[in-house]
Amino acid sequence: AQSVTQPDARVTVSEGASLQLRCKYSYSGTPYLFWYVQYPRQGLQLLLKYYSGDPVVQGVNGFEAEFIKSNSSFHLRKASVHWSDSAVYFCAVSAAGYQNFYFGKGTSLTVIP
Amino acid sequence: DMKVTQMPRYLIKRMGENVLLECGQDMSHETMYWYRQDPGLGLQLIYISYDVDSNSEGDIPKGYRVSRKKREHFSLILDSAKTNQTSVYFCASSRDRGRAETLYFGSGTRLTVL
């Protein structure tokens, strides 16, 4: 069965600190991986996506993620967070030719000024 | 401007009433989706539409139906709403059915069923 696990429901960090949000997936085929961000009272917006090639992908606002196939992981990282990064982050998986996306339950990030 | 628009933003209904949630997109995307979001559960797929009158059940279709008569417009209908359908509903669209393209989301409709 396809699934995405985000083990941390809530993460709190200080402004300027580094960040890692964890994501592990279970998918029978070759996965396409995504990170989305949701700000309060808004829909989800794409941060970055991985289809193939270089396992480290860059996204918007200084975010990056690394695909580690051996570990079925796609963790999100940022070197220095800003208070405006406070939001809920969702990891998602899909595959070529398959239109369903499986989302994790999300990680709520709070950045303390 | 690439946009997915949902109406209304907030809706309060009584149990047993019919509910219509509307979604439009201006990108001529083939594929559209309805998700619901509940605390601690993430997003759950209700229906996918691959084009006009080409709809497919998602993971939780019971109690819902959809209508897509124009490519840019996708409706979610709750016939005789139930209290457990209180949720935030998101519409999304994507460009190409051939690969897993980026999803573009609307801002959501917060539905309360009393």
Side-chain angles (χ1 to χ4, degrees), chain A residues 5-11 20-23 89 105-108:
Chain A
T5 301
Q6 294 180 245
D8 305 306
R10 296 182 184 278
V11 170
Q20 177 171 279
L21 301 182
R22 296 183 291 166
C23 172
Y89 293 79
K105 294 181 180 181
T107 297
S108 178

Side-chain angles (χ1 to χ4, degrees), chain B residues 44-72:
Chain B
Q44 298 174 274
L45 179 66
I46 306 172
Y47 269 93
I48 299 176
S49 175
Y50 297 107
D51 212 327
V52 171
D53 286 330
S54 179
N55 306 318
S56 180
E57 294 181 347
D59 297 321
I60 54 162
K62 187 177 180 181
Y64 303 95
R65 61 184 175 93
V66 293
S67 175
R68 192 164 179 205
K69 298 301 182 184
K70 295 181 179 179
R71 177 173 280 192
E72 64 270 19

Side-chain angles (χ1 to χ4, degrees), chain A residues 32 34 36 46 49 51 94 97-101, chain B residues 2-4 25-33 48-52 68 71-72 92-105:
Chain A
Y32 288 3
F34 303 79
Y36 286 84
L46 182 71
K49 59 187 177 184
Y51 287 162
S94 188
Y98 186 64
Q99 288 300 105
N100 198 2
F101 291 75
Chain B
M2 298 186 294
K3 200 168 184 180
V4 177
Q25 50 98 358
D26 60 3
M27 298 167 278
S28 296
H29 283 173
E30 287 184 352
T31 310
M32 297 186 73
Y33 309 74
I48 299 176
S49 175
Y50 297 107
D51 212 327
V52 171
R68 192 164 179 205
R71 177 173 280 192
E72 64 270 19
S93 71
S94 66
R95 184 179 62 182
D96 187 347
R97 71 163 70 188
R99 55 185 294 177
E101 289 284 347
T102 301
L103 291 177
Y104 293 84
F105 283 86

Side-chain angles (χ1 to χ4, degrees), chain A residues 6-112:
Chain A
Q6 294 180 245
D8 305 306
R10 296 182 184 278
V11 170
T12 300
V13 297
S14 297
E15 193 167 27
S18 63
L19 172 71
Q20 177 171 279
L21 301 182
R22 296 183 291 166
C23 172
K24 295 200 74 170
Y25 67 90
S26 172
Y27 205 81
S28 55
T30 300
Y32 288 3
L33 295 158
F34 303 79
W35 275 99
Y36 286 84
V37 60
Q38 184 180 31
Y39 299 103
R41 294 174 298 282
Q42 295 186 26
L44 282 69
Q45 304 170 33
L46 182 71
L47 269 181
L48 50 80
K49 59 187 177 184
Y50 172 78
Y51 287 162
S52 64
D54 188 339
V56 178
V57 291
Q58 305 296 322
V60 299
N61 296 334
F63 285 94
E64 68 173 29
E66 183 174 8
F67 169 56
I68 303 179
K69 186 176 181 179
S70 61
N71 197 34
S72 298
S73 69
F74 190 58
H75 302 330
L76 182 70
R77 303 190 296 238
K78 188 171 185 179
S80 177
V81 295
H82 186 264
W83 64 266
S84 60
D85 293 325
S86 295
V88 181
Y89 293 79
F90 291 92
C91 182
V93 65
S94 188
Y98 186 64
Q99 288 300 105
N100 198 2
F101 291 75
Y102 292 90
F103 285 85
K105 294 181 180 181
T107 297
S108 178
L109 172 67
T110 300
V111 179
I112 302 171

